[in-house]
Amino acid sequence: RCRAARDFATEKRRAYSDALLSQERSTDMIRTTLSLRFLIPLFVAASLLFCGFWLYRHAVQQELRESISTTLEGISEQGTLSLQAVITGHLRLIRHVSQHAGPVFLQNHEKGAERLAYAAAVYGYKRMSFLLADGTCVTSDRVKIPLQRMGLDAALEGRELITDTIFDRTDGLPINIYAVPLMQNGKIVGALTATRSHEDFRRHLSLQFWKDQARALVINSEGKIIVMPESGIDSIMPSDNFFEKLRQNSRNEPAIASLQGMLAEKKRGTVLLHAPQGGKSDARYVYAMPAGINDWYMLTVFPAELMEERLQTITNHTMMLGLLLLVCFGVLAALVIHTMKRNADVLRRIAFVDAITQGNTFIRFMNLAQSALEQRAQETWAVISLDIDNFKLVNTLLGSETGTRTLCDIH
């Protein structure tokens, strides 16, 4: 019975020893794999952060382009409506003058010319003229102008119109001519024209937004400039052809073809153009839309570098936020690793250090012995066992603290 009890106790100790040995090996594995468990998630997190940042920047860039395109569309529509309102207002006014001054002119050219001069002075026209179908032309300032050569034949056919921007023969300044039919007894007998300074359009198309760097201009389907902003656009002049000027920069060829295609199909859209003389910041976004007048098109020009500035600002803020999140992740990872290491040390001490003597526990002794036997299996080993008889008397007579110090001294 004593042998069986001894064997049972030995088996229990061996099982307990194996459990603690497994725990020790697990603790050692924790220490050896802490670096990998830290570096791999950190690498994965950094990769995901970089990919996420790149995708976010691309999405923001696309969103900014769409936002700018939408804004340019709204501004172009506003400019187009303003242009149409100005032209419609002048045509209505000239039609009113035609109804009142026309009959007077048809009866008496001199009195009709006086009425024209008065109307031109009151309404701010540079010149007003009566043009008859037989070629007779009477102007408010008595200047002989060959109006027949200025594309006003449509007015003699009953259409109200406005010409493209031309240059006045008297002073060389840019002008636009309005024309409405002159009626008598329900028949078209001529046309009434009114010359207006080109500055009238410029004032209505002046844009003040985005650091005052956006510009609006009007061209016709052939690229001839109808309305040019006062500050100009790059090196383009009012007398230039918009397309021909831009072709001085070879990078514009695909964009010009796309823009011409939109104009031919009367569609709206945005293209990226470069200044005729390319530079570091020569890129321009150009939004085009039909103006609803003749074959005119409204172009709104926006510097691409302003979008890059906004994108860079958003990118910098995103990078700062990403770095802050990365630092927080690093601090959290370091805290987790420190906690895991401290717990591993605590478990190791509990398993291998005796709480009373601060020496090795039985399982630690078994591990060291097994390791020594495996490393030097050919050698002969002996086990010395030390027992203390009647040690209970020390605890009983002198107290447990003295007994503990006695065990520490013996150990």
Side-chain angles (χ1 to χ4, degrees), residues 223-240:
K224 180 182 177 181
I225 296 176
I226 307 300
V227 184
M228 189 75 179
E230 296 179 359
S231 55
I233 299 179
D234 300 315
S235 59
I236 301 176
M237 302 302 294
S239 58
D240 294 330

Side-chain angles (χ1 to χ4, degrees), residues 17-33 37 344 347-348 351-352 363-364 366-368 370-371 374:
S17 174
D18 292 342
L20 290 178
L21 179 61
S22 177
Q23 188 175 24
E24 179 187 15
R25 290 175 178 174
S26 299
T27 304
D28 292 337
M29 289 180 62
I30 290 175
R31 293 194 173 195
T32 57
T33 59
R37 291 182 180 181
L347 291 175
R348 186 181 182 89
F352 302 134
I363 186 58
R364 180 61 175 167
M366 293 296 294
N367 291 339
L368 293 175
Q370 183 178 355
S371 177
E374 290 175 354

Side-chain angles (χ1 to χ4, degrees), residues 39-53 326 329:
L39 292 177
I40 292 177
L42 183 62
F43 175 77
V44 172
S47 301
L48 292 176
L49 185 63
F50 175 79
C51 294
F53 174 76
L326 189 61
F329 174 79

Side-chain angles (χ1 to χ4, degrees), residues 364-384:
R364 180 61 175 167
F365 168 77
M366 293 296 294
N367 291 339
L368 293 175
Q370 183 178 355
S371 177
L373 290 174
E374 290 175 354
Q375 293 178 3
R376 291 181 287 180
Q378 303 301 325
E379 298 183 9
T380 301
W381 295 83
V383 177
I384 300 175

Side-chain angles (χ1 to χ4, degrees), residues 111-365:
K111 289 184 178 181
E114 293 177 0
R115 290 283 186 95
L116 283 184
Y118 176 78
V122 170
Y123 300 124
Y125 292 110
K126 188 174 183 179
R127 180 184 303 110
M128 298 189 75
S129 308
F130 279 118
L131 176 63
L132 299 181
D134 59 4
T136 303
C137 180
V138 177
T139 62
S140 59
D141 56 0
R142 307 297 181 176
V143 176
K144 294 183 179 180
I145 302 295
L147 295 175
Q148 296 88 341
R149 302 177 184 178
M150 295 184 179
L152 302 176
D153 295 337
L156 298 176
E157 297 173 359
R159 290 173 49 195
E160 297 180 350
L161 60 88
I162 179 175
T163 65
D164 294 343
T165 300
I166 57 178
F167 293 92
D168 198 334
R169 292 175 177 268
T170 60
D171 53 18
L173 296 178
I175 57 173
N176 298 93
I177 300 178
Y178 298 85
V180 298
L182 180 61
M183 309 295 293
Q184 185 181 33
N185 298 327
K187 296 182 179 180
I188 301 173
V189 295
L192 174 60
T193 67
T195 302
R196 189 78 176 181
S197 173
H198 182 68
E199 299 299 321
D200 188 37
F201 285 155
R202 286 189 173 184
R203 288 193 299 269
H204 284 84
L205 290 184
S206 61
L207 300 179
Q208 301 291 332
F209 66 100
W210 276 318
K211 300 180 181 180
D212 196 25
Q213 295 192 42
R215 300 289 183 267
L217 72 156
V218 179
I219 65 173
N220 63 11
S221 57
E222 298 177 354
K224 180 182 177 181
I225 296 176
I226 307 300
V227 184
M228 189 75 179
E230 296 179 359
S231 55
I233 299 179
D234 300 315
S235 59
I236 301 176
M237 302 302 294
S239 58
D240 294 330
N241 184 284
F242 187 72
F243 297 139
E244 295 300 326
K245 193 68 175 181
L246 291 177
R247 282 195 176 93
Q248 296 179 8
N249 192 326
S250 59
R251 292 181 293 175
N252 287 328
E253 286 298 335
I256 291 175
S258 177
L259 182 60
Q260 288 179 326
M262 286 190 295
L263 267 56
E265 298 176 6
K266 296 184 178 181
K267 293 183 177 180
R268 304 181 179 190
T270 304
V271 296
L272 182 64
L273 294 171
H274 299 271
Q277 299 176 354
K280 182 179 180 181
S281 303
D282 65 335
R284 303 286 189 273
Y285 285 105
V286 178
Y287 183 85
M289 67 173 294
I293 304 165
N294 299 340
D295 61 343
W296 295 1
Y297 295 86
M298 177 73 67
L299 304 184
T300 306
V301 184
F302 174 75
E305 62 178 352
L306 294 184
M307 190 198 76
E308 294 299 329
E309 290 179 2
R310 296 178 63 182
L311 179 61
Q312 189 62 40
T313 300
I314 296 176
T315 301
N316 292 339
H317 292 168
T318 305
M319 289 182 62
M320 292 178 62
L321 180 60
L323 290 176
L324 180 60
L325 293 176
L326 189 61
V327 170
C328 293
F329 174 79
V331 172
L332 181 61
L335 181 61
V336 171
I337 292 174
H338 175 72
T339 303
M340 292 175 63
K341 185 176 180 181
R342 184 180 61 185
N343 293 339
D345 292 339
V346 171
L347 291 175
R348 186 181 182 89
R349 184 172 183 82
I350 293 173
F352 302 134
V353 178
D354 185 77
I356 296 177
T357 63
Q358 301 301 312
N360 291 332
T361 60
F362 177 74
I363 186 58
R364 180 61 175 167
F365 168 77

